[in-house]
């Protein structure tokens, strides 16, 4: 019995394997997309609170309440991310660096002048950049 596939069968099998790989890569990217949006939401809520609230202890309470979402988001990401790729790692670490810079810029600018719009601009940039980085994560 000859088990060698015909050229048409081999082409069909190869197409099926490529489709399965594409589907699994996209499916593995969704935990990263969720993480990026939760990070953006938590930090932007904290940045808006820093811009709106004048009382420093209340600012910190609301800011850390926004950061409290990071713990569950990281747990979900680490449990549900089925594979690590170099590209998803680059997207994640680039995003973490970007949100760290935006958050620090918002906090430092508000500490020097409480009427500055920098915390609002930083929060808006986080909301604008989250879909861009999520698209990059889905394109891997």
């Amino acid at each position: 019995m000859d088990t060698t596939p015909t050229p048409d069968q081999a082409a069909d099998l190869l197409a099926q394997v490529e489709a399965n790989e594409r589907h699994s890569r996209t499916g593995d990217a969704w935990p990263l997309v969720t993480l990026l949006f939760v990070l953006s939401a938590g930090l932007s809520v904290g940045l808006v609170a820093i811009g709106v609230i004048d009382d420093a202890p209340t600012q910190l309470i609301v800011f850390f309440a926004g950061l409290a979402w990071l713990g569950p988001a990281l747990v979900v990401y680490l449990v549900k991310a089925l594979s690590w790729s170099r590209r998803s790692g680059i997207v994640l670490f680039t995003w973490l660096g970007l949100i760290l810079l935006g958050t620090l810029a918002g906090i430092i600018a508000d500490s020097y002048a409480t009427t500055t719009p920098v915390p609002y601009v930083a929060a808006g940039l986080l909301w604008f950049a989250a879909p861009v980085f999520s698209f990059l994560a889905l394109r891997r």
Side-chain angles (χ1 to χ4, degrees), residues 62-87:
V62 176
F63 184 74
F64 286 121
L67 288 180
W69 285 93
L70 302 182
L74 285 171
V75 168
V76 168
Y77 175 68
L78 293 174
V79 169
K80 294 294 183 182
L82 301 177
S83 66
W84 281 88
S85 70
R86 184 173 49 212
R87 184 178 173 123

Side-chain angles (χ1 to χ4, degrees), residues 8 12 18 28 33-34 47-48 51 61-63 72 84 88 92 94 111 116-118 121 139-140:
D8 290 338
D12 289 343
E18 289 173 354
D28 289 347
V33 169
T34 304
L47 284 170
V48 168
I61 289 170
V62 176
F63 184 74
W84 281 88
S88 64
L92 177 62
T94 303
S111 67
T116 184
V118 174
V121 171
R139 298 259 324 172
R140 64 181 192 116

Side-chain angles (χ1 to χ4, degrees), residues 3 5 10 30 38 40 47 54 57 62 65 86 96 107 113 115-116 119 136:
T3 59
W30 280 108
V38 170
S40 299
L47 284 170
D54 291 331
V62 176
R86 184 173 49 212
L96 290 174
I107 291 171
T115 58
T116 184
L136 290 174

Side-chain angles (χ1 to χ4, degrees), residues 37-56:
F37 273 102
V38 170
L39 287 171
S40 299
L43 287 174
S44 64
V45 165
L47 284 170
V48 168
I50 286 173
V52 170
I53 301 170
D54 291 331
D55 183 34

